[in-house]
PDB file of all heavy atoms in Angstrom:
ATOM      1  N   GLN A  85     -71.075  20.618 -52.191  1.00 67.00           N
ATOM      2  CA  GLN A  85     -71.812  21.767 -51.683  1.00 67.00           C
ATOM      3  C   GLN A  85     -70.923  22.863 -51.139  1.00 67.00           C
ATOM      4  O   GLN A  85     -69.899  23.186 -51.728  1.00 67.00           O
ATOM      5  CB  GLN A  85     -72.831  21.314 -50.642  1.00 67.00           C
ATOM      6  CG  GLN A  85     -74.004  20.618 -51.276  1.00 67.00           C
ATOM      7  CD  GLN A  85     -75.098  20.379 -50.269  1.00 67.00           C
ATOM      8  OE1 GLN A  85     -74.893  19.708 -49.275  1.00 67.00           O
ATOM      9  NE2 GLN A  85     -76.260  20.930 -50.538  1.00 67.00           N
ATOM     10  N   GLN A  86     -71.308  23.408 -49.989  1.00 76.00           N
ATOM     11  CA  GLN A  86     -70.792  24.675 -49.510  1.00 76.00           C
ATOM     12  C   GLN A  86     -69.282  24.737 -49.301  1.00 76.00           C
ATOM     13  O   GLN A  86     -68.694  25.789 -49.462  1.00 76.00           O
ATOM     14  CB  GLN A  86     -71.524  25.129 -48.241  1.00 76.00           C
ATOM     15  CG  GLN A  86     -71.295  24.278 -47.015  1.00 76.00           C
ATOM     16  CD  GLN A  86     -72.347  23.221 -46.816  1.00 76.00           C
ATOM     17  OE1 GLN A  86     -72.978  22.769 -47.761  1.00 76.00           O
ATOM     18  NE2 GLN A  86     -72.531  22.790 -45.587  1.00 76.00           N
ATOM     19  N   HIS A  87     -68.638  23.641 -48.953  1.00 76.00           N
ATOM     20  CA  HIS A  87     -67.196  23.705 -48.704  1.00 76.00           C
ATOM     21  C   HIS A  87     -66.361  23.597 -49.973  1.00 76.00           C
ATOM     22  O   HIS A  87     -65.184  23.976 -49.959  1.00 76.00           O
ATOM     23  CB  HIS A  87     -66.771  22.623 -47.706  1.00 76.00           C
ATOM     24  CG  HIS A  87     -67.345  22.802 -46.348  1.00 76.00           C
ATOM     25  ND1 HIS A  87     -67.157  23.942 -45.595  1.00 76.00           N
ATOM     26  CD2 HIS A  87     -68.116  21.990 -45.597  1.00 76.00           C
ATOM     27  CE1 HIS A  87     -67.780  23.814 -44.441  1.00 76.00           C
ATOM     28  NE2 HIS A  87     -68.382  22.640 -44.416  1.00 76.00           N
ATOM     29  N   LEU A  88     -66.913  23.096 -51.041  1.00 80.00           N
ATOM     30  CA  LEU A  88     -66.148  22.883 -52.270  1.00 80.00           C
ATOM     31  C   LEU A  88     -65.481  24.162 -52.777  1.00 80.00           C
ATOM     32  O   LEU A  88     -64.280  24.153 -53.055  1.00 80.00           O
ATOM     33  CB  LEU A  88     -67.029  22.254 -53.350  1.00 80.00           C
ATOM     34  CG  LEU A  88     -66.350  22.029 -54.701  1.00 80.00           C
ATOM     35  CD1 LEU A  88     -65.153  21.097 -54.566  1.00 80.00           C
ATOM     36  CD2 LEU A  88     -67.356  21.474 -55.703  1.00 80.00           C
ATOM     37  N   PRO A  89     -66.191  25.282 -52.918  1.00 85.00           N
ATOM     38  CA  PRO A  89     -65.523  26.482 -53.458  1.00 85.00           C
ATOM     39  C   PRO A  89     -64.356  26.980 -52.589  1.00 85.00           C
ATOM     40  O   PRO A  89     -63.312  27.368 -53.127  1.00 85.00           O
ATOM     41  CB  PRO A  89     -66.633  27.527 -53.520  1.00 85.00           C
ATOM     42  CG  PRO A  89     -67.901  26.751 -53.538  1.00 85.00           C
ATOM     43  CD  PRO A  89     -67.620  25.504 -52.746  1.00 85.00           C
ATOM     44  N   THR A  90     -64.526  26.952 -51.259  1.00 86.00           N
ATOM     45  CA  THR A  90     -63.430  27.465 -50.419  1.00 86.00           C
ATOM     46  C   THR A  90     -62.255  26.496 -50.385  1.00 86.00           C
ATOM     47  O   THR A  90     -61.104  26.929 -50.291  1.00 86.00           O
ATOM     48  CB  THR A  90     -63.920  27.782 -48.986  1.00 86.00           C
ATOM     49  OG1 THR A  90     -64.454  26.616 -48.380  1.00 86.00           O
ATOM     50  CG2 THR A  90     -64.945  28.902 -49.009  1.00 86.00           C
ATOM     51  N   ILE A  91     -62.523  25.204 -50.470  1.00 83.00           N
ATOM     52  CA  ILE A  91     -61.427  24.236 -50.551  1.00 83.00           C
ATOM     53  C   ILE A  91     -60.667  24.442 -51.851  1.00 83.00           C
ATOM     54  O   ILE A  91     -59.431  24.538 -51.868  1.00 83.00           O
ATOM     55  CB  ILE A  91     -61.951  22.788 -50.449  1.00 83.00           C
ATOM     56  CG1 ILE A  91     -62.485  22.501 -49.048  1.00 83.00           C
ATOM     57  CG2 ILE A  91     -60.850  21.786 -50.823  1.00 83.00           C
ATOM     58  CD1 ILE A  91     -63.239  21.186 -48.936  1.00 83.00           C
ATOM     59  N   ARG A  92     -61.405  24.537 -52.955  1.00 88.00           N
ATOM     60  CA  ARG A  92     -60.795  24.684 -54.278  1.00 88.00           C
ATOM     61  C   ARG A  92     -60.082  26.023 -54.425  1.00 88.00           C
ATOM     62  O   ARG A  92     -58.947  26.079 -54.895  1.00 88.00           O
ATOM     63  CB  ARG A  92     -61.885  24.543 -55.346  1.00 88.00           C
ATOM     64  CG  ARG A  92     -61.377  24.630 -56.775  1.00 88.00           C
ATOM     65  CD  ARG A  92     -62.509  24.677 -57.800  1.00 88.00           C
ATOM     66  NE  ARG A  92     -63.375  25.804 -57.498  1.00 88.00           N
ATOM     67  CZ  ARG A  92     -64.712  25.715 -57.347  1.00 88.00           C
ATOM     68  NH1 ARG A  92     -65.322  24.558 -57.498  1.00 88.00           N
ATOM     69  NH2 ARG A  92     -65.432  26.771 -57.065  1.00 88.00           N
ATOM     70  N   ASP A  93     -60.731  27.109 -53.999  1.00 90.00           N
ATOM     71  CA  ASP A  93     -60.218  28.447 -54.278  1.00 90.00           C
ATOM     72  C   ASP A  93     -59.273  28.988 -53.214  1.00 90.00           C
ATOM     73  O   ASP A  93     -58.397  29.798 -53.512  1.00 90.00           O
ATOM     74  CB  ASP A  93     -61.381  29.433 -54.455  1.00 90.00           C
ATOM     75  CG  ASP A  93     -62.329  29.031 -55.574  1.00 90.00           C
ATOM     76  OD1 ASP A  93     -61.915  28.240 -56.457  1.00 90.00           O
ATOM     77  OD2 ASP A  93     -63.491  29.504 -55.568  1.00 90.00           O
ATOM     78  N   GLU A  94     -59.448  28.556 -51.967  1.00 90.00           N
ATOM     79  CA  GLU A  94     -58.661  29.122 -50.877  1.00 90.00           C
ATOM     80  C   GLU A  94     -57.857  28.087 -50.097  1.00 90.00           C
ATOM     81  O   GLU A  94     -57.037  28.448 -49.243  1.00 90.00           O
ATOM     82  CB  GLU A  94     -59.576  29.850 -49.882  1.00 90.00           C
ATOM     83  CG  GLU A  94     -60.394  30.968 -50.497  1.00 90.00           C
ATOM     84  CD  GLU A  94     -61.377  31.549 -49.492  1.00 90.00           C
ATOM     85  OE1 GLU A  94     -61.028  31.631 -48.290  1.00 90.00           O
ATOM     86  OE2 GLU A  94     -62.492  31.915 -49.910  1.00 90.00           O
ATOM     87  N   GLY A  95     -58.147  26.805 -50.332  1.00 89.00           N
ATOM     88  CA  GLY A  95     -57.485  25.776 -49.547  1.00 89.00           C
ATOM     89  C   GLY A  95     -57.928  25.808 -48.087  1.00 89.00           C
ATOM     90  O   GLY A  95     -57.184  25.428 -47.192  1.00 89.00           O
ATOM     91  N   ARG A  96     -59.183  26.251 -47.836  1.00 85.00           N
ATOM     92  CA  ARG A  96     -59.691  26.392 -46.469  1.00 85.00           C
ATOM     93  C   ARG A  96     -61.095  25.797 -46.343  1.00 85.00           C
ATOM     94  O   ARG A  96     -61.840  25.735 -47.305  1.00 85.00           O
ATOM     95  CB  ARG A  96     -59.777  27.863 -46.074  1.00 85.00           C
ATOM     96  CG  ARG A  96     -58.444  28.554 -46.003  1.00 85.00           C
ATOM     97  CD  ARG A  96     -58.644  30.006 -45.583  1.00 85.00           C
ATOM     98  NE  ARG A  96     -57.396  30.702 -45.522  1.00 85.00           N
ATOM     99  CZ  ARG A  96     -56.657  30.827 -44.416  1.00 85.00           C
ATOM    100  NH1 ARG A  96     -57.065  30.299 -43.292  1.00 85.00           N
ATOM    101  NH2 ARG A  96     -55.535  31.484 -44.451  1.00 85.00           N
ATOM    102  N   ILE A  97     -61.397  25.428 -45.098  1.00 80.00           N
ATOM    103  CA  ILE A  97     -62.746  24.995 -44.740  1.00 80.00           C
ATOM    104  C   ILE A  97     -63.215  25.909 -43.620  1.00 80.00           C
ATOM    105  O   ILE A  97     -62.529  26.052 -42.601  1.00 80.00           O
ATOM    106  CB  ILE A  97     -62.763  23.533 -44.255  1.00 80.00           C
ATOM    107  CG1 ILE A  97     -62.285  22.597 -45.362  1.00 80.00           C
ATOM    108  CG2 ILE A  97     -64.161  23.153 -43.765  1.00 80.00           C
ATOM    109  CD1 ILE A  97     -62.077  21.167 -44.909  1.00 80.00           C
ATOM    110  N   TYR A  98     -64.360  26.531 -43.802  1.00 76.00           N
ATOM    111  CA  TYR A  98     -64.931  27.403 -42.780  1.00 76.00           C
ATOM    112  C   TYR A  98     -66.088  26.676 -42.109  1.00 76.00           C
ATOM    113  O   TYR A  98     -66.932  26.092 -42.777  1.00 76.00           O
ATOM    114  CB  TYR A  98     -65.432  28.711 -43.401  1.00 76.00           C
ATOM    115  CG  TYR A  98     -64.314  29.532 -44.009  1.00 76.00           C
ATOM    116  CD1 TYR A  98     -64.062  29.481 -45.376  1.00 76.00           C
ATOM    117  CD2 TYR A  98     -63.500  30.323 -43.207  1.00 76.00           C
ATOM    118  CE1 TYR A  98     -63.035  30.233 -45.935  1.00 76.00           C
ATOM    119  CE2 TYR A  98     -62.467  31.071 -43.759  1.00 76.00           C
ATOM    120  CZ  TYR A  98     -62.238  31.014 -45.125  1.00 76.00           C
ATOM    121  OH  TYR A  98     -61.219  31.744 -45.673  1.00 76.00           O
ATOM    122  N   SER A  99     -66.098  26.726 -40.784  1.00 74.00           N
ATOM    123  CA  SER A  99     -67.120  26.014 -40.039  1.00 74.00           C
ATOM    124  C   SER A  99     -67.416  26.746 -38.739  1.00 74.00           C
ATOM    125  O   SER A  99     -66.558  27.445 -38.195  1.00 74.00           O
ATOM    126  CB  SER A  99     -66.627  24.593 -39.744  1.00 74.00           C
ATOM    127  OG  SER A  99     -67.466  23.958 -38.828  1.00 74.00           O
ATOM    128  N   ALA A 100     -68.607  26.556 -38.214  1.00 73.00           N
ATOM    129  CA  ALA A 100     -68.996  27.145 -36.934  1.00 73.00           C
ATOM    130  C   ALA A 100     -68.593  26.263 -35.762  1.00 73.00           C
ATOM    131  O   ALA A 100     -68.977  26.522 -34.628  1.00 73.00           O
ATOM    132  CB  ALA A 100     -70.504  27.371 -36.908  1.00 73.00           C
ATOM    133  N   THR A 101     -67.794  25.236 -35.992  1.00 73.00           N
ATOM    134  CA  THR A 101     -67.445  24.298 -34.928  1.00 73.00           C
ATOM    135  C   THR A 101     -66.273  24.755 -34.078  1.00 73.00           C
ATOM    136  O   THR A 101     -65.997  24.138 -33.049  1.00 73.00           O
ATOM    137  CB  THR A 101     -67.117  22.912 -35.509  1.00 73.00           C
ATOM    138  OG1 THR A 101     -66.007  23.045 -36.414  1.00 73.00           O
ATOM    139  CG2 THR A 101     -68.308  22.319 -36.219  1.00 73.00           C
ATOM    140  N   GLY A 102     -65.576  25.806 -34.485  1.00 75.00           N
ATOM    141  CA  GLY A 102     -64.416  26.260 -33.717  1.00 75.00           C
ATOM    142  C   GLY A 102     -63.398  25.148 -33.616  1.00 75.00           C
ATOM    143  O   GLY A 102     -63.047  24.516 -34.601  1.00 75.00           O
ATOM    144  N   ASP A 103     -62.938  24.882 -32.396  1.00 78.00           N
ATOM    145  CA  ASP A 103     -61.975  23.810 -32.181  1.00 78.00           C
ATOM    146  C   ASP A 103     -62.650  22.467 -31.922  1.00 78.00           C
ATOM    147  O   ASP A 103     -61.986  21.468 -31.668  1.00 78.00           O
ATOM    148  CB  ASP A 103     -61.074  24.148 -30.985  1.00 78.00           C
ATOM    149  CG  ASP A 103     -60.147  25.316 -31.288  1.00 78.00           C
ATOM    150  OD1 ASP A 103     -59.815  25.512 -32.473  1.00 78.00           O
ATOM    151  OD2 ASP A 103     -59.774  26.028 -30.340  1.00 78.00           O
ATOM    152  N   GLY A 104     -63.972  22.461 -31.954  1.00 75.00           N
ATOM    153  CA  GLY A 104     -64.714  21.221 -31.711  1.00 75.00           C
ATOM    154  C   GLY A 104     -64.548  20.243 -32.847  1.00 75.00           C
ATOM    155  O   GLY A 104     -64.169  20.599 -33.955  1.00 75.00           O
ATOM    156  N   ARG A 105     -64.839  19.002 -32.533  1.00 74.00           N
ATOM    157  CA  ARG A 105     -64.763  17.955 -33.543  1.00 74.00           C
ATOM    158  C   ARG A 105     -66.177  17.520 -33.892  1.00 74.00           C
ATOM    159  O   ARG A 105     -66.962  17.201 -33.005  1.00 74.00           O
ATOM    160  CB  ARG A 105     -63.963  16.778 -33.023  1.00 74.00           C
ATOM    161  CG  ARG A 105     -62.533  17.157 -32.783  1.00 74.00           C
ATOM    162  CD  ARG A 105     -61.751  15.995 -32.261  1.00 74.00           C
ATOM    163  NE  ARG A 105     -60.406  16.453 -31.967  1.00 74.00           N
ATOM    164  CZ  ARG A 105     -59.384  15.654 -31.871  1.00 74.00           C
ATOM    165  NH1 ARG A 105     -59.534  14.361 -32.010  1.00 74.00           N
ATOM    166  NH2 ARG A 105     -58.198  16.131 -31.602  1.00 74.00           N
ATOM    167  N   VAL A 106     -66.456  17.520 -35.166  1.00 73.00           N
ATOM    168  CA  VAL A 106     -67.778  17.151 -35.648  1.00 73.00           C
ATOM    169  C   VAL A 106     -67.600  16.051 -36.694  1.00 73.00           C
ATOM    170  O   VAL A 106     -66.845  16.224 -37.649  1.00 73.00           O
ATOM    171  CB  VAL A 106     -68.515  18.359 -36.281  1.00 73.00           C
ATOM    172  CG1 VAL A 106     -69.850  17.943 -36.847  1.00 73.00           C
ATOM    173  CG2 VAL A 106     -68.683  19.466 -35.269  1.00 73.00           C
ATOM    174  N   PRO A 107     -68.271  14.915 -36.512  1.00 72.00           N
ATOM    175  CA  PRO A 107     -68.129  13.841 -37.500  1.00 72.00           C
ATOM    176  C   PRO A 107     -68.911  14.151 -38.779  1.00 72.00           C
ATOM    177  O   PRO A 107     -69.953  14.805 -38.741  1.00 72.00           O
ATOM    178  CB  PRO A 107     -68.725  12.625 -36.784  1.00 72.00           C
ATOM    179  CG  PRO A 107     -69.684  13.191 -35.798  1.00 72.00           C
ATOM    180  CD  PRO A 107     -69.139  14.542 -35.396  1.00 72.00           C
ATOM    181  N   PHE A 108     -68.393  13.709 -39.879  1.00 68.00           N
ATOM    182  CA  PHE A 108     -69.066  13.802 -41.162  1.00 68.00           C
ATOM    183  C   PHE A 108     -69.370  12.380 -41.611  1.00 68.00           C
ATOM    184  O   PHE A 108     -68.563  11.476 -41.399  1.00 68.00           O
ATOM    185  CB  PHE A 108     -68.176  14.504 -42.197  1.00 68.00           C
ATOM    186  CG  PHE A 108     -68.072  15.987 -42.001  1.00 68.00           C
ATOM    187  CD1 PHE A 108     -67.306  16.524 -40.984  1.00 68.00           C
ATOM    188  CD2 PHE A 108     -68.761  16.851 -42.836  1.00 68.00           C
ATOM    189  CE1 PHE A 108     -67.217  17.884 -40.796  1.00 68.00           C
ATOM    190  CE2 PHE A 108     -68.681  18.223 -42.655  1.00 68.00           C
ATOM    191  CZ  PHE A 108     -67.904  18.741 -41.630  1.00 68.00           C
ATOM    192  N   ILE A 109     -70.527  12.193 -42.232  1.00 64.00           N
ATOM    193  CA  ILE A 109     -70.938  10.864 -42.689  1.00 64.00           C
ATOM    194  C   ILE A 109     -71.224  10.922 -44.182  1.00 64.00           C
ATOM    195  O   ILE A 109     -71.729  11.920 -44.694  1.00 64.00           O
ATOM    196  CB  ILE A 109     -72.167  10.344 -41.902  1.00 64.00           C
ATOM    197  CG1 ILE A 109     -72.497   8.909 -42.300  1.00 64.00           C
ATOM    198  CG2 ILE A 109     -73.351  11.279 -42.058  1.00 64.00           C
ATOM    199  CD1 ILE A 109     -73.486   8.224 -41.380  1.00 64.00           C
ATOM    200  N   ASP A 110     -70.890   9.867 -44.863  1.00 67.00           N
ATOM    201  CA  ASP A 110     -71.133   9.796 -46.301  1.00 67.00           C
ATOM    202  C   ASP A 110     -72.615   9.561 -46.561  1.00 67.00           C
ATOM    203  O   ASP A 110     -73.246   8.734 -45.890  1.00 67.00           O
ATOM    204  CB  ASP A 110     -70.303   8.659 -46.896  1.00 67.00           C
ATOM    205  CG  ASP A 110     -70.304   8.706 -48.398  1.00 67.00           C
ATOM    206  OD1 ASP A 110     -71.323   8.295 -49.004  1.00 67.00           O
ATOM    207  OD2 ASP A 110     -69.309   9.168 -48.983  1.00 67.00           O
ATOM    208  N   ALA A 111     -73.169  10.270 -47.512  1.00 64.00           N
ATOM    209  CA  ALA A 111     -74.592  10.119 -47.842  1.00 64.00           C
ATOM    210  C   ALA A 111     -74.920   8.704 -48.308  1.00 64.00           C
ATOM    211  O   ALA A 111     -76.059   8.245 -48.148  1.00 64.00           O
ATOM    212  CB  ALA A 111     -75.007  11.146 -48.899  1.00 64.00           C
ATOM    213  N   ASP A 112     -73.939   7.989 -48.870  1.00 65.00           N
ATOM    214  CA  ASP A 112     -74.176   6.586 -49.233  1.00 65.00           C
ATOM    215  C   ASP A 112     -74.433   5.742 -47.987  1.00 65.00           C
ATOM    216  O   ASP A 112     -75.255   4.824 -48.010  1.00 65.00           O
ATOM    217  CB  ASP A 112     -72.986   6.009 -50.007  1.00 65.00           C
ATOM    218  CG  ASP A 112     -72.942   6.502 -51.440  1.00 65.00           C
ATOM    219  OD1 ASP A 112     -73.977   6.452 -52.119  1.00 65.00           O
ATOM    220  OD2 ASP A 112     -71.858   6.951 -51.867  1.00 65.00           O
ATOM    221  N   ASP A 113     -73.759   6.051 -46.901  1.00 64.00           N
ATOM    222  CA  ASP A 113     -73.981   5.314 -45.655  1.00 64.00           C
ATOM    223  C   ASP A 113     -75.343   5.654 -45.058  1.00 64.00           C
ATOM    224  O   ASP A 113     -76.014   4.779 -44.495  1.00 64.00           O
ATOM    225  CB  ASP A 113     -72.867   5.606 -44.652  1.00 64.00           C
ATOM    226  CG  ASP A 113     -71.526   5.037 -45.096  1.00 64.00           C
ATOM    227  OD1 ASP A 113     -71.519   4.044 -45.860  1.00 64.00           O
ATOM    228  OD2 ASP A 113     -70.494   5.601 -44.692  1.00 64.00           O
ATOM    229  N   ILE A 114     -75.761   6.899 -45.186  1.00 69.00           N
ATOM    230  CA  ILE A 114     -77.103   7.272 -44.736  1.00 69.00           C
ATOM    231  C   ILE A 114     -78.134   6.508 -45.562  1.00 69.00           C
ATOM    232  O   ILE A 114     -79.096   5.957 -45.031  1.00 69.00           O
ATOM    233  CB  ILE A 114     -77.323   8.795 -44.840  1.00 69.00           C
ATOM    234  CG1 ILE A 114     -76.375   9.532 -43.899  1.00 69.00           C
ATOM    235  CG2 ILE A 114     -78.780   9.157 -44.540  1.00 69.00           C
ATOM    236  CD1 ILE A 114     -76.281  11.016 -44.151  1.00 69.00           C
ATOM    237  N   GLY A 115     -77.913   6.460 -46.873  1.00 68.00           N
ATOM    238  CA  GLY A 115     -78.809   5.714 -47.743  1.00 68.00           C
ATOM    239  C   GLY A 115     -78.876   4.241 -47.379  1.00 68.00           C
ATOM    240  O   GLY A 115     -79.953   3.646 -47.349  1.00 68.00           O
ATOM    241  N   ALA A 116     -77.726   3.640 -47.083  1.00 63.00           N
ATOM    242  CA  ALA A 116     -77.708   2.227 -46.700  1.00 63.00           C
ATOM    243  C   ALA A 116     -78.471   2.012 -45.397  1.00 63.00           C
ATOM    244  O   ALA A 116     -79.194   1.020 -45.251  1.00 63.00           O
ATOM    245  CB  ALA A 116     -76.271   1.733 -46.566  1.00 63.00           C
ATOM    246  N   SER A 117     -78.331   2.936 -44.471  1.00 64.00           N
ATOM    247  CA  SER A 117     -79.067   2.828 -43.207  1.00 64.00           C
ATOM    248  C   SER A 117     -80.563   2.963 -43.450  1.00 64.00           C
ATOM    249  O   SER A 117     -81.356   2.204 -42.901  1.00 64.00           O
ATOM    250  CB  SER A 117     -78.604   3.899 -42.221  1.00 64.00           C
ATOM    251  OG  SER A 117     -77.271   3.678 -41.856  1.00 64.00           O
ATOM    252  N   ALA A 118     -80.946   3.929 -44.264  1.00 64.00           N
ATOM    253  CA  ALA A 118     -82.371   4.131 -44.557  1.00 64.00           C
ATOM    254  C   ALA A 118     -82.949   2.905 -45.248  1.00 64.00           C
ATOM    255  O   ALA A 118     -84.076   2.493 -44.953  1.00 64.00           O
ATOM    256  CB  ALA A 118     -82.565   5.358 -45.434  1.00 64.00           C
TER     257      ALA A 118
END
């Protein structure tokens, strides 16, 4: 999704988190939980 083009084209990730740390979870793990 949204980060793929900027990672591929610019080598960057843009986020509204600033210096904060935000965990990312794999959708397969969400599926396993569900």
Side-chain angles (χ1 to χ4, degrees):
Q85 286 189 300
Q86 67 266 26
H87 295 302
L88 178 60
T90 59
I91 291 170
R92 182 188 57 233
D93 302 340
E94 302 174 36
R96 295 181 181 267
I97 298 171
Y98 296 98
S99 169
T101 60
D103 291 332
R105 295 180 184 201
V106 177
F108 286 75
I109 185 168
D110 191 283
D112 285 312
D113 292 334
I114 296 167
S117 295

